[in-house]
Structures are given as C-alpha cells and as structure tokens.
Amino acid sequence: MAKKKYWQQFPIYQIYPRSFCDSNGDGIGDLQGIISKLDYIRDLGVKMIWLNPVYKSPLDDMGYDVADYKSIHPDYGSMEDMDLLIQEARKRDIRIIMDLVVNHTSDEHEWFIKSKDKNSPYHDYYYWRKGKNNNTEPPNNWTSMFTGPAWEYVPEVGEWYLHLYSKKQPDLDWHNPKVLEEVESIITFWLDKGVYGFRCDVINQIYKESLEDSKTHAMSGRGMEFYLMKEGNHKILKAIYEDIFSKREDAVMIGETFNVDKENGLRFLNEHEFDMFFIFDHMYIDKSYNPFWPRRFKAKKFMDIIYQWQLEMPWMANYLENHDQRRSVTRFGDGIHNEEVAKLLGLLNLTLRGTPFVYQGEEIGMTDLPYYEMREQCKDVAVLYILDIAKRLHFPNRFALKFVNQFNRDHARTPMQWDESKNGGFSSAETTWLPVNPNYQTLNAKAQEKEGSVLDFYRKLIAYRNGSKTLQEGSFKPLKFKGNLFGFIRECEGERLLSILNFGKKNVKMPAEYLKGETIISNYPDGGDTLRPYEARLIKLS
Ligand code: GLC
C-alpha cells in the first residue's frame, strides 16, 4: 500500500484569522496572534491549519475578495509574519494550508482595474458583456449567491460584469488560458514558501459553460445549471494537477464544492482533481428559505446524509461547522446539554472516515451569539444584502432578522474565547471587530484546562485518533437502531471500534451486544447499560 499522506492521518484545525487572537490591540486578530497560540494548537493534537484568507483585500466579503494574492493584509501583519508562521508551525509539526479564492477577485484587484480598459489584455480576464435591451438590462437573468442580480453595470466601460457573489467580487473568466497561468503562479508562489496546500473556495463553479438565461426561479444562485461542475471545470482542475501537484507529492488540495453530487465527487477524487472535498447536504437540513416556516433539526435525516457519503466515497473532508455556518452546538443540540452535545459532535466528527476539520472554538463548544438584534451589528455581506431587500419590500424588520439569523455567518466569526478577562482574552482593544459572545466569562479555553471539559475531551480523542490505524484507515459500517440512537463501526486488521451516539434528550438502552466492549472515551463519567441525553461513547469491541 502507498505510504499514507499527512492529510490522511491527522485532523485539520481551521483558523479564522480575524477572530483568533489579536496581538497588537486593534480589535482584529492577526498572524502574530496565531503564532502566539501555536502551542495551544499543537497540544490539541492537530497537525495542519487551514487559514481563511489573509491576503490584501477591501474585506467586503471578509477576505474572499482578494486584491493581491501575493501580499498580506496589513490588518493581519506582513509577509515576514507569514513566513514566520509557516516556520514556527513546522517546528511543531504543523503545516499551513491557505485559502485559494479564484472564482473571483476583488474589484480592487489590479487585473480588474485594468480590465475596465477594453483594449487591455485584462479585459478578457473577466466576464464583461453588453446588456440586453439596448444595454439597459443585465446580459442574463442570473442571480448572485448573495441574492440580487449577478451583473453590475459600469458606465465608464459601457458594459456589465458578472459577479456570482457580491458586486465587489467579479468572476474570473476561466475560458481565458491566461487566468490558469496566473493562478498556477499563485499556487507555486505559496508552495515555494512552504505551505502544504490549499482549500479551494467555491471551486466547482469556476467554469461558466454558457451565459444563457436560466429557466429556474431561485432567489440566489439562479443560473447554476450553466456553471456547476461543468466539463471545463474538471479539465481545469486536472490541468492544475498535471502542471503542479503531480510533481509535488507532499501537498494537499481540498475542494469547497457547493452542491456537489456523488458522481462529480467520485470524479474529483478518482481523477486527482482534489484529495478531498466538502459537501453541504448536511448543512442545509435545518435551513428554511421560507421566513414563516422554520425547519427543525432532525438527527435521523442528518445522520442518513452523513452515512450515505461515508458509504459512497473513498474519503471525506468531515466537518460540522466552519466560518460560514452557525455553531454546531447551538444548531444540533437542545440548548440545555451543551457540553454533552459538543462532545458528541466531536466524537462523531473525529471517528468518521476521512479527514476531520475542527473549526476554532469548536473544541471548547462555542455557541452562537444570543441574537443579532440590530442591523448595525451584522458584518456578513450576505445577510446585509438580504436585509436591504427586505427593507425595500417593507418586510417587517423583526421577521427579516429572524429569517437571516439562521444563515448569519457572523455567529461563527465572533472572537475566540481564550479566558475570562476583557474581550475573552482575544484582544486588549476597547471594541473588537465583532462582539465577543457574552458567555465568554464561563465558556473559554482557560476554564477548560481541566479534566472532563470539552477541550480535554477533544485533546484525548485526537491523541487517540492520531495513534489509531483503525480510525485513520478502517472501513466504515453504519448500524441500524431506532429513534435517535446511532452507531457505526470502523474496522481494520481485526480491530473493531464502535461509535455510539444518543442524539436526543431521552435515555436509551444500550444494545446488549455492545455492552461488553472497552470504552475508550465517553462524554459521561461512568458507563452502564443506558445512554443518557446526548451520551456518546467510543468502544473497542471484543
Ligand atoms: C465560500 C467562502 C465564503 C465566501 C464565498 C465567496 O463559500 O467560504 O465565506 O463568502 O465562498 O467567496
């Protein structure tokens, strides 16, 4: 068997740099702040860090609007700080993964600025088109992922440009071979600096096969049938592999693949396009697009989705939260058993087959903010778009806020809670860029430096996983139980590990045949034949 890759063995920790640790007291997290916490990250047992974008950017979409791929935003520090982070991380056996955002750039990127000149070679880096009806209407009826038209008119050019996200994020035209050349130069630049690989942002929609009108009626993402996982997209990813990664064995490529299906998922993996990719199906399960009709979380549905992907893919990028999702404890728990839920989710994520991703704060069970009551508090550009539309339609503010609350990405982006001091130890500033969750005084990393905490649970489980061939390589077999009881077996070379989860508030009888095993870790102190609310155990079966 081929030698196992680093990414096949260890968990990845996701850092949202703006909210991780502020070293210079400006209320914004930075690279030096991350460096100061590297020992904490090492002690957690993770061996890779995925950094959300830290490039120069006007921050309209918090860095997913890149103005220069080869420089660091001054809010976060300098290129020297970045080099130091890569080195210091390596000293601790930790590798850095960057975010590669190349479906679009910022409208402040020099390519886009130059592209406004029709005679410039950069004009063809983007989708500049004449509009319909004598140029008075957008070239097609597509809508942006953040709602509203996907086109913006620029009078000085006399043309419209395509933006699948905010209007400050113009889409690159991947039909132009120069775009591939530029992106390969960015990838090489960072690999040469010693980064281990990339998480590739919305990478399965970069190739627009045609710009026809869509016949669907989606409020956001209308037109997707013309750009989601097209042949041209696969071709580009293969070219990147051929040109770069086939020659660099020790690297990783992770796809953020919106609405991916299993057929394309298999192609991504089997045809070397990615080493792993993120699915979204399990993240939709409690989201409702009807403001008057909320959708309740159902563990059965959630687990079914996870099982299906586990069964059908050779490898998965497993995650239960990230910077775009609300906090998993709040979403998937009952609001009462938060600690138990946090550990249960940790056990699930860390014992599935694939690479587990742990998002900053997940390892201490951070929760959503109580509620965003005022528009002024929201920073998430997607939410601001929706609130603007709601206002124009005279939609009652209370409903609008409630509706966006289920999507509000700011929930996950509040500062990391380090200790009980001012701003949760995140920053010494008067105000932080997003408010710190008021529960920081009791819920913080320092308070969890003790046996039995969520943090302690994560450390122990990750340490176990890092040494367990069965969890790293074992097969996956789901078990069928009734109600909210779930279980699956990982098996390798005769060793069988059972993850058993009571994903509900009621006590459940432990199935008799699994009572004999040895409990490796559990979120309740003592075992027994009953699984209590949200009880989860990892058991070595005899
Ligand atoms: C990805 C990012 C998200 C961003 C979007 C556009 O989904 O995770 O934060 O807004 O892409 O770049």
Side-chain angles (χ1 to χ4, degrees):
M1 201 190 139
K3 200 167 162 286
K4 261 187 304 173
K5 303 266 174 74
Y6 214 62
W7 55 265
Q8 290 170 314
Q9 301 173 65
F10 306 112
I12 298 179
Y13 190 65
Q14 182 193 347
I15 291 186
Y16 195 71
R18 208 167 180 78
S19 296
F20 194 59
C21 180
D22 169 17
S23 73
N24 62 354
D26 61 0
I28 296 169
D30 47 50
L31 295 173
Q32 284 292 344
I34 300 175
I35 294 170
S36 74
K37 296 292 182 189
L38 281 174
D39 288 347
Y40 169 87
I41 297 167
R42 177 201 54 207
D43 294 347
L44 188 59
V46 297
K47 301 277 185 191
M48 288 154 278
I49 293 171
W50 151 32
L51 276 190
N52 285 108
V54 287
Y55 314 104
K56 191 175 155 207
S57 158
L59 303 176
D60 180 60
D61 188 16
M62 288 305 148
Y64 283 94
D65 44 327
V66 181
D68 181 355
Y69 293 91
K70 296 181 186 170
S71 77
I72 300 294
H73 194 295
D75 278 359
Y76 305 126
S78 63
M79 194 53 93
E80 286 70 45
D81 295 325
M82 188 66 217
D83 290 333
L84 189 66
L85 172 62
I86 297 170
Q87 271 172 32
E88 286 297 315
R90 281 268 172 175
K91 279 190 198 157
R92 294 163 177 82
D93 275 342
I94 296 170
R95 303 181 183 187
I96 303 289
I97 296 166
M98 300 294 278
D99 218 308
L100 185 72
V101 191
V102 291
N103 174 67
H104 42 265
T105 68
S106 159
D107 64 341
E108 296 181 29
H109 194 292
E110 112 177 277
W111 302 337
F112 187 75
I113 295 169
K114 289 186 179 157
S115 83
K116 290 183 189 167
D117 173 358
K118 283 189 198 150
N119 299 318
S120 154
Y122 291 97
H123 195 64
D124 294 337
Y125 273 41
Y126 298 88
Y127 290 96
W128 284 106
R129 295 288 184 278
K130 285 272 182 219
K132 287 186 195 160
N133 251 341
N134 250 340
N135 214 11
T136 56
E137 285 171 28
N140 68 26
N141 64 3
W142 295 5
T143 49
S144 133
M145 292 291 175
F146 294 158
T147 67
W151 294 90
E152 183 72 10
Y153 183 66
V154 180
E156 59 191 281
V157 185
E159 286 179 348
W160 304 69
Y161 68 86
L162 176 70
H163 60 91
L164 292 186
Y165 291 84
S166 106
K167 62 181 178 215
K168 285 188 67 64
Q169 293 168 296
D171 279 52
L172 284 165
D173 183 349
W174 280 87
H175 291 260
N176 182 347
K178 285 298 280 175
V179 170
L180 175 62
E181 235 174 76
E182 299 274 14
V183 170
E184 290 191 337
S185 132
I186 294 163
I187 293 177
T188 309
F189 172 84
W190 285 103
L191 290 176
D192 288 348
K193 275 196 170 292
V195 312
Y196 180 52
F198 300 89
R199 172 268 190 190
C200 309
D201 190 64
V202 295
I203 194 73
N204 61 336
Q205 43 187 244
I206 57 176
Y207 189 84
K208 285 77 185 172
E209 201 166 66
S210 90
L211 297 178
E212 286 163 58
D213 270 339
S214 171
K215 297 202 171 57
T216 66
H217 287 281
M219 197 171 100
S220 72
R222 184 179 195 182
M224 213 180 283
E225 64 275 30
F226 299 112
Y227 58 77
L228 210 59
M229 295 172 295
K230 294 293 155 194
E231 273 319 306
N233 198 149
H234 287 291
K235 235 172 110 185
I236 291 163
L237 293 170
K238 281 199 196 75
I240 295 178
Y241 174 76
E242 280 307 319
D243 297 345
I244 301 180
F245 290 95
S246 62
K247 296 166 198 139
R248 300 201 190 221
E249 274 292 288
D250 200 21
V252 69
M253 280 289 268
I254 307 157
E256 189 210 20
T257 47
F258 185 74
N259 269 2
V260 59
D261 55 18
K262 303 212 173 68
E263 189 192 324
N264 279 287
L266 278 177
R267 284 190 65 181
F268 289 147
L269 298 184
N270 294 340
E271 297 173 25
H272 291 300
E273 297 175 21
F274 300 119
D275 296 306
M276 59 183 130
F277 61 90
F278 294 116
I279 60 158
F280 284 84
D281 303 6
H282 63 319
M283 288 291 127
Y284 290 131
I285 107 156
D286 58 343
K287 285 179 186 161
S288 160
Y289 294 94
N290 181 340
F292 304 103
W293 204 266
R295 215 168 177 193
R296 276 197 29 232
F297 169 73
K298 292 203 181 79
K300 166 101 177 62
K301 233 171 150 185
F302 183 70
M303 293 300 291
D304 275 352
I305 295 171
I306 292 178
Y307 284 172
Q308 274 170 25
W309 282 93
Q310 285 282 309
L311 287 169
E312 290 184 43
M313 293 299 125
W315 197 262
M316 290 296 298
N318 295 311
Y319 74 99
L320 300 177
E321 60 184 68
N322 64 30
H323 67 293
D324 289 330
Q325 302 295 335
R326 287 173 45 212
R327 290 287 183 180
S328 56
V329 173
T330 314
R331 275 177 92 175
F332 308 139
D334 64 350
I336 299 163
H337 298 90
N338 280 4
E339 257 192 63
E340 289 80 4
V341 173
K343 292 174 189 168
L344 171 140
L345 294 170
L347 193 130
L348 170 64
N349 194 25
L350 288 159
T351 60
L352 289 170
R353 181 169 57 188
T355 305
F357 285 71
V358 178
Y359 178 59
Q360 67 179 49
E362 191 175 3
E363 77 281 14
I364 57 170
M366 274 176 63
T367 60
D368 280 357
L369 270 176
Y371 198 176
Y372 275 96
E373 281 167 2
M374 289 177 333
R375 187 190 188 288
E376 290 66 46
Q377 278 183 294
C378 296
K379 291 277 193 314
D380 178 355
V381 62
V383 162
L384 296 178
Y385 267 97
I386 299 177
L387 289 179
D388 277 344
I389 293 180
K391 199 168 169 194
R392 262 184 275 132
L393 297 174
H394 301 290
F395 201 72
N397 201 31
R398 204 160 47 90
F399 280 120
L401 284 168
K402 197 150 185 212
F403 175 60
V404 296
N405 192 51
Q406 46 170 347
F407 306 101
N408 196 337
R409 301 182 296 176
D410 291 339
H411 280 300
R413 299 175 180 183
T414 64
M416 176 70 187
Q417 296 166 207
W418 292 105
D419 58 39
E420 72 293 346
S421 70
K422 181 177 158 192
N423 298 323
F426 160 72
S427 164
S428 59
E430 268 325 301
T431 47
T432 53
W433 81 277
L434 263 185
V436 181
N437 192 315
N439 64 12
Y440 76 87
Q441 278 165 356
T442 47
L443 202 172
N444 62 66
K446 187 173 151 223
Q448 296 199 14
E449 287 295 346
K450 62 172 188 218
E451 190 129 347
S453 66
V454 178
L455 180 60
D456 180 55
F457 184 89
Y458 263 84
R459 284 182 182 154
K460 286 184 176 143
L461 183 52
I462 293 175
Y464 183 82
R465 191 188 187 284
N466 287 354
S468 165
K469 198 166 180 199
T470 306
L471 288 182
Q472 289 173 11
E473 293 174 36
S475 60
F476 173 89
K477 186 176 138 211
L479 301 172
K480 275 213 159 73
F481 299 124
K482 287 216 181 86
N484 281 325
L485 184 64
F486 301 91
F488 52 88
I489 292 181
R490 305 289 314 279
E491 183 168 358
C492 180
E493 294 171 357
E495 181 178 78
R496 296 197 311 145
L497 295 177
L498 165 73
S499 282
I500 190 150
L501 321 163
N502 176 14
F503 217 141
K505 284 188 271 197
K506 291 195 189 126
N507 286 351
V508 184
K509 274 257 154 280
M510 178 81 182
E513 67 264 45
Y514 300 120
L515 271 171
K516 278 215 200 92
E518 170 205 343
T519 300
I520 291 160
I521 196 164
S522 154
N523 58 354
Y524 277 80
D526 45 346
D529 58 2
T530 302
L531 291 162
R532 288 147 287 185
Y534 297 99
E535 182 159 352
R537 298 180 193 166
L538 178 66
I539 297 172
K540 191 189 276 186
L541 298 173
S542 45

